[in-house]
Amino acid sequence: MLTPVFPLGTAYLPGDEVVLRVFEERYVQLIRDINDSNLSFASVLISQGSEVGGGDKRFSYGVMIDVINIALSDLGLIVQAIATDRIRVMEWEADDPYPRAEVEVVVNESLAQDRYHDAASSLSLLAQNVRTLRESIAALQSIDDPATTSAPLLNTIASGRWWTTGVSAQEVERAFWTVARHVPCGPMDRYELLQPPSVVERISRLRYMVEHVTEIVAFQRQK
């Protein structure tokens, strides 16, 4: 499907809340155009360059952004939205007047039921590790981390009470992105999670990320 694209310095994950302050004329036009038709566009991570001025290079994977509200501000527009489906750019069109591309929704690879059980169990353990990691970072910075005290979904997944014998692919997907959104990491790490079609491979990548950040935090605490 042909869709407008907003390249950004942020790699959004499905379920992320998105707030954009749009002031560059071409992207103001993009928002105006989708406001007249379908209230959604794609977003991909910029690999080189800047969000402003054009001439940037872009990665191929991203997400669809569904717009919830558009408000005027002194500098342009404030867009409130949510990231939804993962997408892959198949072909870029000319940036006239703003970036557009042919994109396809990334289809999740189907697994046998027992693999979903294993994935759900792995996610519960990962959620526990992420919660502990965030608590360690908060202690290191001498701050309270609201993500560990007011994140009911993360806490539910960490408790292991969120899934039953017949856990569905959709439940596992939602749990994965919930855990992933709470990992403190950079845009390239987040981008790496958008590519694999299998949730099993994505869990493996997420586990590596959590272990890596945990090692960094442990080293900083020893200093």
Side-chain angles (χ1 to χ4, degrees):
M1 61 180 175
L2 181 63
T3 184
V5 183
F6 203 142
L8 292 164
T10 300
Y12 287 110
L13 303 179
D16 273 340
E17 294 181 358
V18 178
V19 178
L20 299 175
R21 289 168 175 79
V22 184
F23 57 87
E24 191 174 357
E25 183 55 38
R26 59 179 177 158
Y27 293 121
V28 171
Q29 185 62 52
L30 183 156
I31 299 301
R32 286 173 178 161
D33 286 352
I34 66 165
N35 195 31
D36 291 335
S37 55
N38 181 26
L39 281 174
S40 65
F41 57 92
S43 177
V44 297
L45 178 64
I46 292 173
S47 60
Q48 292 181 27
S50 169
E51 294 178 3
V52 180
D56 55 276
K57 295 184 179 180
R58 307 149 188 167
F59 288 108
S60 297
Y61 286 84
V63 291
M64 292 302 299
I65 305 291
D66 289 355
V67 176
I68 298 171
N69 186 60
I70 302 170
L72 292 173
S73 74
D74 293 340
L75 297 177
L77 302 173
I78 297 178
V79 178
Q80 294 176 297
I82 187 165
T84 57
D85 295 326
R86 292 182 296 146
I87 57 96
R88 180 164 68 100
V89 173
M90 306 303 293
E91 183 177 1
W92 286 100
E93 301 288 325
D95 288 10
D96 184 19
Y98 44 74
R100 296 180 304 155
E102 286 285 346
V103 306
E104 67 174 8
V105 174
V106 178
V107 177
N108 296 316
E109 183 180 295
S110 296
L111 304 174
Q113 187 61 51
D114 62 332
R115 301 291 300 282
Y116 288 119
H117 294 164
D118 292 342
S121 180
S122 295
L123 285 171
S124 291
L125 181 57
L126 264 177
Q128 294 169 25
N129 294 341
V130 170
R131 189 170 58 182
T132 300
L133 172 61
R134 295 194 66 107
E135 290 169 350
S136 297
I137 294 173
L140 189 64
Q141 299 174 342
S142 300
I143 60 172
D144 292 328
D145 179 15
T148 62
T149 58
S150 61
L153 289 178
L154 181 67
N155 291 330
T156 297
I157 296 168
S159 73
R161 295 193 299 269
W162 65 278
W163 66 282
T164 60
T165 302
V167 63
S168 68
Q170 292 76 19
E171 289 173 309
V172 171
E173 282 292 321
R174 285 195 296 269
F176 173 82
W177 294 117
T178 297
V179 177
R181 287 196 299 272
H182 285 89
V183 178
C185 61
M188 275 304 303
D189 288 321
R190 286 181 139 231
Y191 177 77
E192 290 292 327
L193 297 177
L194 294 173
Q195 301 176 63
S198 166
V199 69
V200 172
E201 185 177 352
R202 275 181 271 128
I203 288 173
S204 178
R205 293 194 183 191
L206 184 61
R207 183 182 297 112
Y208 173 80
M209 287 167 48
V210 173
E211 291 173 352
H212 179 64
V213 178
T214 299
E215 290 174 357
I216 293 174
V217 172
F219 176 77
Q220 291 176 336
R221 295 188 70 175
Q222 292 173 358
K223 296 172 66 175

